[in-house]
Amino acid sequence: MAAYPADLTRALFVTGLRNAHAVEQQALALMDRQLDRLVNYPEVSDHLRMHRGETESQISRIEQILDQLQETHSGLKDTALSIMGNLAALGHSFAEDEILKNSFANYAFENFEVASYRSLLTVADAGNFAFATPLLQTSLREEEAMASWVIENVPTLTLKYLSLKAGDQTAGR
């Protein structure tokens, strides 16, 4: 791999970590709003609760890395993305098929996080931040697993939605 200026890789790494921290805050807001509204999909609720715990651990891992770099997360980015997460979840709450919209959005969001962690791992390698690699790899595996779970369950959720809707039951959430 080519050598890059240390100040450049460090700056990009810190920016990426701050962005990832804010995105994880946004993820918490999205999950919390979804959990508030889930009624007929306990399997989704259970998995979101599990992933919420993983997300809290991911935030902690990012903070560990930032601490080791003698940096902090960006409160402004965290707040802004948390608000955006709440607004995004609110937007889907008006949809008749809210559960499906949330599933599609969750899949996109999880893949965004996967890409973010892969980028951070690349910069960690380029900038010789090996101490961060195991922490970032753990978070990457968790995000990949969640993305896989979401996409694998879209057909099941869609059929359950249809079944509930056909029985004149609340199906959207």
Side-chain angles (χ1 to χ4, degrees):
M1 182 178 282
Y4 300 98
D7 58 333
L8 175 64
T9 54
R10 187 180 196 290
L12 181 59
F13 195 51
V14 169
T15 297
L17 290 165
R18 287 178 176 152
N19 290 342
H21 191 277
V23 166
E24 296 300 356
Q25 294 293 337
Q26 182 180 16
L28 288 177
L30 280 167
M31 286 185 278
D32 287 346
R33 295 304 68 77
Q34 289 178 31
L35 286 166
D36 288 347
R37 296 186 49 77
L38 278 170
V39 175
N40 290 313
Y41 302 88
E43 64 280 18
V44 175
S45 183
D46 291 346
H47 216 80
L48 280 177
R49 279 189 181 81
M50 184 268 312
H51 191 58
R52 191 186 190 294
E54 290 175 340
T55 300
E56 290 172 343
S57 295
Q58 292 163 4
I59 290 168
S60 177
R61 286 183 211 116
I62 292 167
E63 289 172 352
Q64 281 180 260
I65 297 167
L66 285 167
D67 285 348
Q68 200 150 350
L69 295 168
Q70 298 180 336
E71 298 284 350
T72 61
H73 60 89
S74 169
L76 180 61
K77 284 182 184 181
D78 288 356
T79 300
L81 287 183
S82 181
I83 290 168
M84 287 174 54
N86 280 310
L87 292 173
L90 178 64
H92 290 170
S93 69
F94 297 107
E96 182 178 325
D97 59 346
E98 177 182 3
I99 186 68
L100 299 178
K101 298 274 189 294
N102 282 341
S103 295
F104 306 157
N106 289 346
Y107 181 66
F109 196 86
E110 294 303 323
N111 279 287
F112 180 89
E113 290 175 303
V114 165
S116 296
Y117 282 110
R118 286 186 178 172
S119 178
L120 283 169
L121 282 161
T122 301
V123 178
D125 185 45
N128 296 313
F129 302 112
F131 70 90
T133 299
L135 297 171
L136 295 171
Q137 286 174 335
T138 299
S139 295
L140 173 61
R141 283 191 301 273
E142 291 167 350
E143 297 300 358
E144 289 172 332
M146 185 61 176
S148 292
W149 185 87
V150 172
I151 197 65
E152 289 167 8
N153 282 277
V154 165
T156 303
L157 288 173
T158 302
L159 293 174
K160 185 171 184 178
Y161 172 83
L162 283 170
S163 178
L164 289 168
K165 193 73 172 161
D168 289 330
Q169 297 179 34
T170 302
R173 53 188 181 120

